[in-house]
Amino acid sequence: MLTNEYLKRVYETVLTRNPGESEFHQAVLEVLESLEPVVENHPEYEKNGIMERFVEPERFIQFSVPWVDDNGRVRVNRGFRVQFNSAIGPYKGGLRFHPSVTASVIKFLGFEQTLKNSLTTLPMGGGKGGSDFDPKGKSDGEVMRFCQSFMNELYKHIGQFTDIPAGDIGVGAREVGYLFGQYKRLTGTFQGGTITGKGIPFGGSLARTQATGYGLCYFAEEALKCMRNDSFAGKIVVVSGSGNVATYAAEKCTQLGGKVVAMCDSNGYIYDANGVDLKKVMDIKQRRRARIKVYADEVPGSEYHEGCHGIWNVKCDIALPCATQNEMDLEGAKALIANGCMGVFEGANMPLTPDAIAAVQEAGLLYSPGKASNAGGVATSGLEMTQNSMRLSWSFEEVDQRLQGIMNNIFHAAYDASVEVGKPGDLMVGANVAGFLKVASAMLAQGVV
Ligand code: NDP
């Protein structure tokens, strides 16, 4: 609940200007609530309209994406790019291809991205984009034609010094390859630093594929050590999702001594008391592009349950929600708490509903918001841009080591900020404050632009 009059007015304007955009409203409200103590200590923010400008995208682009399917039928999807805030660097953020993508989803993601990118300490502003196109069930040819049509418009708005897209839900190595190929063709130049998440042979960074999931576990390991004198070793872990973030989070926490017993896709979840066989999951999801249900058909002793919501009923010590926004509601949070879970670290963006966050925090669980604990992906995209500019490629170990350093720093920045505003250990408030202060000071320095 907002109490500061200035922030109340700012939030009212967000509601009026963006009617019905519930995900965007949710993300803004959470951040504004966290920033109340900071705004009260900085009257210059109101004088300079910092908060009004911070919640208003600098640019919002919507376009049609016509393409032809394998039967020769013309299809039309909707494409988006939000260039949210460029105070500390060029816009940077992924592209999401999923039927649930709307202007609201893209704005919430772009808004969160501004704070996340600030936390990485790298010079990147906030952006995000995508389409309501569903790559699931489409042939490679259809995906390629869609990506080419999408880029026919997007290329006008991006560039290594303006806006650098990457992957997100539904946009993996295949899609990034097609997008980059069309960008190269349209511009007649090879500008590696304009898109990240590229394949290794054409300027991608080693460890970028693993970075978000690995980074999440590095962050969680540091939080467990500093706040509980504990670690992943011997812990039972539930990871939702079975895409990029979930897969590599499961891999790293297993390497750190945890045991992953449940994972899901958008249809349902698997439970394997012996520990999920990740190679099998990767084979099913990445190579065969099949449903996770197949796992239970092929691994004796494992179970499949229809619907993903039930995954939070699986007893665990640590939960890593790595699928999508609002995937854990109050009921899910209560189930985790009742089963003695000690920590929830977000791999996805905004996977907990506000009442789920309140419940886990009230129950004393460790909790980290995605903008802090999943920042390893964009941080490593930043490292990919650095390597592209230097015309060099670092080894996997070098990138991974830098990633670990960045995640440790993000944890400490969020923790220290939580102490400074009188909410020690509240990593949500800490991350919002630490991310915001840097952006706000850059905005102040640059004048009203
Ligand atoms: P992927 O497309 O690789 O995987 C998404 C996974 O989540 C899939 O298993 C998918 O199931 C599942 N999923 C999608 N929608 C739903 C739903 N409504 N209910 C249940 N499960 C669902 O995406 P990523 O792993 O890249 O992204 C996952 C999350 O992490 C997103 O919130 C994204 O914004 C965030 N993120 C990603 C980063 C990255 O580097 N990729 C960086 C930072 C954050 P199915 O197979 O059925 O589609």
Side-chain angles (χ1 to χ4, degrees):
M1 180 78 104
L2 287 168
T3 54
N4 179 284
E5 289 304 321
Y6 170 44
L7 290 179
K8 275 193 202 168
R9 285 199 304 280
V10 169
Y11 185 59
E12 277 305 315
T13 308
V14 169
L15 295 179
T16 315
R17 279 213 175 126
N18 307 278
E21 298 189 351
S22 58
E23 294 89 354
F24 182 45
H25 302 163
Q26 180 183 336
V28 169
L29 183 60
E30 177 213 289
V31 170
L32 294 187
E33 283 176 350
S34 298
L35 296 180
E36 282 204 323
V38 174
V39 167
E40 269 152 28
N41 282 335
H42 289 270
E44 69 276 22
Y45 292 165
E46 181 167 1
K47 197 162 156 252
N48 290 277
I50 293 293
M51 304 313 294
E52 291 89 331
R53 290 193 275 146
F54 181 64
V55 298
E56 181 68 13
E58 291 175 10
R59 192 168 296 106
F60 185 81
I61 302 146
Q62 185 186 308
F63 49 98
S64 77
V65 190
W67 57 282
V68 180
D69 70 17
D70 286 345
N71 299 318
R73 194 155 72 89
V74 175
R75 309 270 202 112
V76 182
N77 285 96
R78 189 171 267 192
F80 302 96
R81 185 74 186 166
V82 69
Q83 298 180 331
F84 216 105
N85 189 295
S86 60
I88 63 169
Y91 310 106
K92 173 95 193 89
L95 298 171
R96 177 178 291 191
F97 292 169
H98 193 271
S100 64
V101 166
T102 59
S104 171
V105 168
I106 296 300
K107 281 187 206 167
F108 116 66
L109 290 165
F111 177 71
E112 292 273 295
Q113 195 81 43
T114 303
L115 292 166
K116 183 189 308 195
N117 291 1
S118 168
L119 284 168
T120 66
T121 71
L122 302 175
M124 302 182 291
K128 198 81 189 187
S131 172
D132 57 4
F133 173 76
D134 188 357
K136 234 179 275 161
K138 306 287 191 301
S139 69
D140 285 352
E142 289 177 322
V143 170
M144 182 180 75
R145 290 192 293 280
F146 173 81
C147 288
Q148 290 174 342
S149 179
F150 186 85
M151 188 51 80
N152 285 345
E153 174 64 30
L154 188 71
Y155 92 99
K156 299 171 193 162
H157 310 284
I158 61 175
Q160 61 170 325
F161 298 115
T162 46
D163 185 355
I164 305 100
D168 190 74
I169 291 181
V171 180
R174 174 181 61 171
E175 290 75 15
V176 169
Y178 293 148
L179 290 162
F180 182 72
Q182 185 70 355
Y183 182 76
K184 184 166 68 81
R185 178 158 198 204
L186 287 165
T187 59
T189 54
F190 192 105
Q191 299 179 45
T194 300
I195 301 179
T196 60
K198 298 181 295 298
I200 303 301
F202 53 101
S205 174
L206 289 165
R208 172 61 188 92
T209 306
Q210 293 84 355
T212 310
Y214 277 24
L216 168 65
C217 294
Y218 293 145
F219 183 101
E221 186 80 345
E222 188 70 4
L224 286 162
K225 183 176 93 181
C226 298
M227 296 173 74
R228 293 286 186 277
N229 194 25
D230 209 332
S231 73
F232 267 111
K235 300 291 183 298
I236 300 293
V237 185
V238 166
V239 182
S240 65
S242 47
N244 173 270
V245 180
T247 302
Y248 294 102
E251 183 171 272
K252 181 51 72 179
C253 77
T254 306
Q255 288 170 7
L256 293 169
K259 179 157 100 169
V260 177
V261 296
M263 293 182 77
C264 72
D265 64 17
S266 54
N267 291 109
Y269 73 95
I270 51 160
Y271 173 70
D272 189 340
N274 297 319
V276 169
D277 177 349
L278 254 188
K279 281 209 178 82
K280 176 67 84 179
V281 172
M282 288 188 196
D283 182 57
I284 294 168
K285 297 296 296 185
Q286 291 177 9
R287 195 181 64 78
R288 292 192 252 169
R289 294 189 188 272
R291 311 309 302 158
I292 206 162
K293 183 178 193 298
V294 173
Y295 184 95
D297 300 336
E298 298 181 4
V299 179
S302 66
E303 301 165 12
Y304 174 74
H305 300 263
E306 200 62 32
C308 343
H309 194 251
I311 196 170
W312 309 120
N313 293 323
V314 174
K315 187 172 164 53
C316 66
D317 302 307
I318 293 171
L320 303 177
C322 296
T324 194
Q325 65 269 10
N326 292 327
E327 56 169 304
M328 189 194 296
D329 61 11
L330 181 58
E331 203 187 317
K334 280 184 174 165
L336 285 178
I337 295 162
N339 280 329
C341 177
M342 68 182 292
V344 181
F345 301 96
E346 294 185 346
N349 285 310
M350 209 167 77
L352 271 68
T353 58
D355 50 3
I357 296 174
V360 297
Q361 286 189 320
E362 223 162 89
L365 275 68
L366 290 176
Y367 165 73
S368 72
K371 65 175 74 74
S373 44
N374 73 25
V378 72
T380 308
S381 278
L383 300 179
E384 181 174 331
M385 291 160 66
T386 306
Q387 293 168 77
N388 293 151
S389 296
M390 295 166 75
R391 307 292 198 261
L392 283 175
S393 297
W394 294 331
S395 67
F396 187 98
E397 291 68 29
E398 175 152 14
V399 179
D400 190 37
Q401 212 167 28
R402 285 175 190 265
L403 168 66
Q404 200 164 352
I406 290 171
M407 296 316 295
N408 286 352
N409 287 342
I410 294 175
F411 166 74
H412 288 286
Y415 185 84
D416 293 350
S418 76
V419 174
E420 270 161 42
V421 297
K423 299 217 163 168
D426 186 331
L427 297 177
M428 177 176 77
V429 167
N432 288 335
V433 169
F436 172 75
L437 286 175
K438 182 173 161 191
V439 175
S441 91
M443 288 173 74
L444 277 173
Q446 291 169 22
V448 181
V449 288

